[in-house]
Amino acid sequence: MRVFLKLSILLASYLLVAAGEDTRDEENSWQTGMACTTCACQQRSAHFDKESFCMFSYFPSRAYKMLWFSTPTNFVVYIRNIESNTHGNYYMTICDELKCQYLSSTEDQVFLFTATKKVIMYIDMSTSFEVQYYVGCDVLDQTDVVVGREAGSLFPQPGYCWIVIPRLYNKATTQHTAATNIFLSHVNVPENSRLSLKNVLTGELLLDFKNYTNFDVTSLDKSESAITYQTNKYISSMFLFTVVKCPPDACTDISFQLKVQALSHDDSECFRRKQACVYGLPEEYDEEQVSCGDEDEEETCDAFEKFEEEISFSGPQPLADGSRNNKSRRSRCKWHYRNKEKKYFCRKDKNNKTKFSPDCSKFGVCALYCIERRVFRKICGKSLRIFH
């Protein structure tokens, strides 16, 4: 009976840590979870550098570190900022229970190990680097990603997290994805719980949920340089959707639907052109980009139409005659300008610092939305001249 009680206490403690450990989700921080300073790491997400490795040989200088979990699951390991003095020789060996990978390149690396209990890293101590890892996440490296979770259902992996590599083509060695739109709907977050969506490669916090949200959307641009993936592939975008914390008895109450729209370079270009022409949302503050001819407005862009279709569910439904009211238009403006309102609406005129530029009329069907954000929401702070 005493043994059973001890095991119950240990299990309850593990659930509390696994679903609610302290994390570093500050914007633009690549680190998630706590620092692992011991030879063996058992957190579901943590970060470390070579200083926490344990020596097993002094001549030559070699050290090791082990990541482990109680049952077979997925390990995602991101190794960055590598500086090696081994002159092209192997400076690290990283192994699961079946095979080993040998690293000689100093490019940033991402490794995925599946159905294993442990990953062991052996290093030459003359090499420096940083590591972020995740354990127990469901990994979706594919096209047309849709994740739906219903309240009361079991989690597919023990880490309460999902790592997504958006793809245009399955099994391609290069990702080809220029940008990604991520849609989250019907997000139910129990009390004292939190979900977050983060760019794994840059650390940028994209979305954060602490209560029920009917709909939200964000975009993920590809990294400037590709990252080596599984030693012979390359990726430029990867994101993490995770349960940051939740009380053990409430974790299964979490529910949501996540959809991913991966865009090619051509898709991204036509998408931005349509945004500029229909919603007055130029990539930069260029008057020529704001004005569009009839041909540009009528340009067919499947990526833009799909985005419009997804966000239409967040706003008012069509009227009986098939038209949409002003609230529907405002809803679509809201999602196209998501997290970009200050960038576009609060820019001061270069020649007259007492007024905004451009005038709200330049934002097409979103002119009223611009006025609302400037005048009533006061997103620009100090009041300037609203009308020229």
Side-chain angles (χ1 to χ4, degrees):
M1 182 66 180
R2 293 176 61 186
V3 173
F4 175 79
L5 181 61
K6 288 182 179 180
L7 288 174
S8 299
I9 293 173
L10 287 172
L11 178 60
S13 299
Y14 165 72
L15 287 173
L16 184 61
V17 171
E21 63 189 12
D22 180 35
T23 61
R24 295 194 178 195
D25 271 332
E26 296 89 347
E27 189 171 355
N28 297 326
S29 172
W30 66 273
Q31 297 173 337
T32 299
M34 297 180 289
C36 177
T37 58
T38 59
C39 300
C41 305
Q42 55 181 316
Q43 299 97 326
R44 67 168 183 152
S45 64
H47 53 88
F48 55 85
D49 57 25
K50 76 168 187 177
E51 301 304 325
S52 63
F53 277 63
C54 294
M55 297 290 293
F56 68 87
S57 169
Y58 289 93
F59 300 102
S61 179
R62 301 281 291 171
Y64 79 95
K65 196 175 187 75
M66 181 173 68
L67 320 177
W68 71 278
F69 197 75
S70 57
T71 58
T73 187
N74 297 328
F75 288 72
V76 175
V77 183
Y78 177 27
I79 308 170
R80 63 195 298 273
N81 290 344
I82 304 167
E83 295 182 6
S84 173
N85 295 320
T86 57
H87 307 292
N89 296 321
Y90 297 129
Y91 59 82
M92 180 186 294
T93 305
I94 182 168
C95 308
D96 63 5
E97 295 172 297
L98 297 177
K99 63 182 183 301
C100 292
Q101 305 279 359
Y102 302 90
L103 277 65
S104 59
S105 170
T106 56
E107 295 178 343
D108 290 358
Q109 309 266 343
V110 173
F111 290 94
L112 167 63
F113 299 93
T114 62
T116 186
K117 290 184 179 181
K118 61 184 178 181
V119 171
I120 304 178
M121 305 172 70
Y122 303 95
I123 64 167
D124 184 311
M125 287 299 288
S126 65
T127 300
S128 63
F129 52 85
E130 298 170 321
V131 174
Q132 171 70 55
Y133 78 88
Y134 306 91
V135 178
C137 295
D138 197 12
V139 179
L140 302 166
D141 180 5
Q142 63 189 62
T143 62
D144 303 319
V145 172
V146 177
V147 179
R149 172 172 168 76
E150 296 182 358
S153 62
L154 297 176
F155 284 86
Q157 291 283 351
Y160 298 6
C161 50
W162 296 259
I163 289 180
V164 178
I165 301 175
R167 291 280 185 185
L168 290 168
Y169 313 102
N170 285 322
K171 299 181 180 180
T173 55
T174 302
Q175 195 170 4
H176 299 289
T177 305
T180 304
N181 291 323
I182 305 165
F183 310 93
L184 277 151
S185 59
H186 308 298
V187 182
N188 183 55
V189 184
E191 187 177 0
N192 298 320
S193 302
R194 180 183 167 206
L195 309 180
S196 72
L197 192 149
K198 188 174 186 177
N199 184 334
V200 172
L201 301 183
T202 67
E204 180 185 4
L205 181 63
L206 300 172
L207 290 175
D208 202 35
F209 300 96
K210 296 181 181 179
N211 45 43
Y212 178 80
T213 301
N214 181 57
F215 182 83
D216 212 336
V217 61
T218 188
S219 59
L220 176 69
D221 291 328
K222 71 174 184 178
S223 299
E224 293 182 1
S225 56
I227 307 296
T228 303
Y229 175 56
Q230 301 292 71
T231 70
N232 60 354
K233 300 178 182 179
Y234 294 91
I235 58 174
S236 53
S237 55
M238 177 169 64
F239 67 86
L240 166 75
F241 185 55
T242 183
V243 178
V244 178
K245 66 175 182 178
C246 65
D249 59 348
C251 291
T252 56
D253 293 335
I254 291 171
S255 61
F256 61 86
Q257 184 176 61
L258 179 149
K259 292 184 179 181
V260 177
Q261 179 190 18
L263 306 179
S264 67
H265 176 75
D266 289 343
D267 289 338
S268 180
E269 289 296 312
C270 81
F271 182 87
R272 295 182 189 280
R273 284 197 301 271
K274 291 291 284 188
Q275 278 191 319
C277 295
V278 178
Y279 293 100
L281 202 160
E283 181 61 20
E284 298 295 338
Y285 301 107
D286 187 340
E287 293 286 341
E288 294 181 359
Q289 288 183 324
V290 177
S291 59
C292 298
D294 293 338
E295 293 182 359
D296 294 314
E297 292 184 357
E298 295 175 0
E299 176 189 13
T300 300
C301 180
D302 291 340
F304 182 82
E305 296 302 326
K306 182 176 181 180
F307 184 90
E308 288 275 280
E309 180 182 343
E310 290 294 337
I311 65 174
S312 67
F313 292 112
S314 69
Q317 297 303 305
L319 301 177
D321 61 0
S323 63
R324 291 181 179 272
N325 56 25
N326 288 333
K327 289 185 178 180
S328 176
R329 177 177 295 175
R330 180 191 177 281
S331 176
R332 287 184 287 166
C333 290
K334 170 185 175 181
W335 297 120
H336 279 280
Y337 280 89
R338 179 76 164 84
N339 295 328
K340 301 174 184 176
E341 290 93 342
K342 287 188 177 181
K343 174 182 177 181
Y344 292 109
F345 298 158
C346 299
R347 179 175 180 265
K348 296 179 181 179
D349 188 278
K350 292 180 180 179
N351 301 318
N352 186 347
K353 299 300 183 181
T354 65
K355 67 179 183 180
F356 294 114
S357 177
D359 184 88
C360 279
S361 63
K362 296 294 185 181
F363 294 103
V365 298
C366 295
L368 289 177
Y369 181 67
C370 167
I371 293 172
E372 176 201 346
R373 305 306 287 178
R374 283 180 179 176
V375 180
F376 301 107
R377 299 293 181 178
K378 303 185 186 305
I379 64 168
C380 303
K382 183 179 178 180
S383 178
L384 301 180
R385 287 175 55 191
I386 304 299
F387 304 103
H388 295 185

